[in-house]
């Protein structure tokens, strides 16, 4: 699981277009996003993350748990990208 998480972090760092820091900790991929209206942009953030992961890792044997946080710490959302069937 750690290997897939590390690969996902690397892919997101290369392709994710929002200004953020991306890391991995305790079975989670954590994105701390700067300078956005969190409520308005959350759907686009999730869509872009899903597209990047599906593009590079369409066949996954484990789930990926993601945490998206606003840099100011006022908003946070956790979601899971399910493993491939």
């Amino acid at each position: 699981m750690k290997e897939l998480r590390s690969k996902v972090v690397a892919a997101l760092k290369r392709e994710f277009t929002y200004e953020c820091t991306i890391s991995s900790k305790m079975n989670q991929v954590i994105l701390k996003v700067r300078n956005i209206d969190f409520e308005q942009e959350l759907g686009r953030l999730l869509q872009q993350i899903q597209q990047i992961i599906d593009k590079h890792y369409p066949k996954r044997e484990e789930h990926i748990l993601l945490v998206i946080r606003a840099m100011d710490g006022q908003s946070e959302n956790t979601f899971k990208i399910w493993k491939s069937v």
Side-chain angles (χ1 to χ4, degrees), residues 44-58:
R44 283 184 221 124
L45 287 166
L46 297 175
Q47 184 177 29
Q48 187 176 44
I49 292 166
Q50 180 79 51
Q51 288 172 342
I52 291 168
I53 292 172
D54 286 346
K55 174 182 164 186
H56 293 284
Y57 309 104

Side-chain angles (χ1 to χ4, degrees), residues 11-80:
L12 289 172
K13 283 182 177 182
R14 281 191 313 270
E15 297 185 30
F16 197 59
T17 59
Y18 287 86
E19 185 181 350
C20 68
T21 58
I22 303 170
S23 61
S24 176
K25 184 177 179 182
M26 296 178 51
N27 298 327
Q28 300 174 334
V29 175
I30 302 166
L31 294 93
K32 292 182 182 175
V33 185
R34 291 184 186 101
N35 304 325
I36 65 163
D37 182 333
F38 196 82
E39 300 295 322
Q40 295 242 337
E41 294 290 322
L42 186 59
R44 283 184 221 124
L45 287 166
L46 297 175
Q47 184 177 29
Q48 187 176 44
I49 292 166
Q50 180 79 51
Q51 288 172 342
I52 291 168
I53 292 172
D54 286 346
K55 174 182 164 186
H56 293 284
Y57 309 104
K59 297 189 188 310
R60 297 177 299 276
E61 295 184 13
E62 63 245 7
H63 306 307
I64 301 169
L65 184 61
L66 293 131
V67 178
I68 301 174
R69 293 183 180 133
M71 194 60 80
D72 62 10
Q74 292 186 11
S75 300
E76 178 176 302
N77 192 311
T78 303
F79 70 102
K80 186 183 288 189

